[in-house]
Amino acid sequence: LETAIEMWRLVLAGRFELIDLWVEFLSKEHRHAIPRDTWLLLLDFATSVKGDLSDFDEDGAWPVLIDDFVTWAKPKVASE
């Protein structure tokens, strides 16, 4: 998990407004290996969904881990 987090910090710097929340979510809520579908779609998610998550399509074909992140992060983003 730590390697994945460091890779994402490098690759998504300046592209993913919610990278710090993503890392916090993984560190507190996930703590397992990252599924392949999440690896493949996180960049698409990071570049296509607004930082306030207002345009996240809950019926979209996002990986479960990303769906779980949005559910976890929405209250935090709304309170900022």
Side-chain angles (χ1 to χ4, degrees):
L1 181 61
E2 289 76 22
T3 301
I5 288 171
E6 292 308 314
M7 293 287 291
W8 280 321
R9 284 197 184 277
L10 289 171
V11 172
L12 299 176
R15 297 184 196 184
F16 188 18
E17 189 175 333
L18 300 174
I19 187 68
D20 291 332
L21 269 182
W22 173 250
V23 170
E24 181 182 345
F25 166 75
L26 293 175
S27 298
K28 291 181 177 179
E29 305 291 328
H30 187 63
R31 304 296 306 160
H32 303 289
I34 303 299
R36 181 177 171 83
D37 59 346
T38 302
W39 273 108
L40 296 174
L41 292 172
L42 187 63
L43 178 61
D44 289 339
F45 172 77
T47 58
S48 66
V49 176
K50 293 180 184 176
D52 64 1
L53 302 171
S54 62
D55 61 344
F56 178 74
D57 180 8
E58 294 181 15
D59 296 322
W62 295 110
V64 171
L65 188 56
I66 291 176
D67 287 335
D68 291 347
F69 166 69
V70 171
T71 300
W72 179 87
K74 270 189 174 181
K76 294 177 180 344
V77 171
S79 68
E80 289 181 356

